[in-house]
Amino acid sequence: MNFNTICSCGELVASGTKCKCKSKIKKDPEKKHPGTTTRFRKLRKQIIYRDGFQCQRCIKFNRYDHTTMENLEVHHIKSFRDFPYLAYEPSNLITVCRYCNLDLGNSNKLDFDWEVKELNLYSL
């Protein structure tokens, strides 16, 4: 039996096959999220180190009751979607917890004043 499914893009797709829209994303390196690259994983460690292994947003809002050293993520201040050329720019990256990362979303700005610290690669 051959069952058809509907892709999230709205196209009808034969069972056992991938939609054309899925293969375009994988082939286009500009669409690949930087978080999946080795280069970003290394940079992520450096950013978390730079920010003292703490969620910078929780610190700013004095939410010390909220866990700030677990579930750390590196957030793109200017989103990768809108500013792909800033994907690996340390001054565009900030350490936040998972909760704060979801709360900030793709707004292309922070909801608090933050001054980027210098990234010292020699101390790693």
Side-chain angles (χ1 to χ4, degrees), residues 80-95:
F80 167 70
R81 178 191 67 204
D82 298 330
F83 301 90
Y85 55 91
L86 294 175
Y88 300 98
E89 176 57 43
S91 63
N92 186 48
L93 301 170
I94 185 171
T95 303

Side-chain angles (χ1 to χ4, degrees), residues 41-59 63-64 66-74 94-98 114 117 119-120 123-124:
R41 285 192 296 268
K42 288 179 182 178
L43 181 58
R44 177 187 180 280
K45 289 178 184 177
Q46 295 168 354
I47 297 301
I48 291 172
Y49 178 82
R50 176 197 71 189
D51 293 343
F53 300 91
Q54 292 185 319
C55 174
Q56 300 301 294
R57 189 168 181 254
C58 285
I59 290 171
R63 288 197 304 228
Y64 292 105
H66 187 341
T67 306
T68 59
M69 294 186 75
E70 292 183 13
N71 297 317
L72 293 178
E73 299 180 356
V74 172
I94 185 171
T95 303
V96 293
C97 64
R98 176 170 289 157
W114 180 72
K117 300 169 194 161
L119 183 59
N120 186 353
S123 62
L124 293 178

Side-chain angles (χ1 to χ4, degrees):
M1 290 186 165
N2 191 6
F3 294 101
N4 292 323
T5 58
I6 298 176
C7 179
S8 58
C9 72
E11 289 291 319
L12 190 62
V13 182
S15 178
T17 63
K18 290 184 180 179
C19 182
K20 293 180 281 186
C21 76
K22 305 294 183 209
S23 61
K24 287 180 186 174
I25 292 172
K26 289 182 180 178
K27 289 181 182 177
D28 187 357
E30 293 297 316
K31 300 285 184 187
K32 187 176 182 181
H33 192 279
T36 63
T37 66
T38 302
R39 178 181 174 194
F40 189 80
R41 285 192 296 268
K42 288 179 182 178
L43 181 58
R44 177 187 180 280
K45 289 178 184 177
Q46 295 168 354
I47 297 301
I48 291 172
Y49 178 82
R50 176 197 71 189
D51 293 343
F53 300 91
Q54 292 185 319
C55 174
Q56 300 301 294
R57 189 168 181 254
C58 285
I59 290 171
K60 194 68 172 182
F61 291 131
N62 295 319
R63 288 197 304 228
Y64 292 105
D65 57 322
H66 187 341
T67 306
T68 59
M69 294 186 75
E70 292 183 13
N71 297 317
L72 293 178
E73 299 180 356
V74 172
H75 175 74
H76 288 89
I77 299 166
K78 302 275 187 190
S79 73
F80 167 70
R81 178 191 67 204
D82 298 330
F83 301 90
Y85 55 91
L86 294 175
Y88 300 98
E89 176 57 43
S91 63
N92 186 48
L93 301 170
I94 185 171
T95 303
V96 293
C97 64
R98 176 170 289 157
Y99 170 80
C100 288
N101 198 13
L102 291 171
D103 204 27
L104 288 168
N106 290 326
S107 62
N108 292 324
K109 62 182 179 176
L110 296 174
D111 57 359
F112 61 96
D113 291 330
W114 180 72
E115 189 174 317
V116 67
K117 300 169 194 161
E118 186 175 329
L119 183 59
N120 186 353
L121 299 176
Y122 299 109
S123 62
L124 293 178

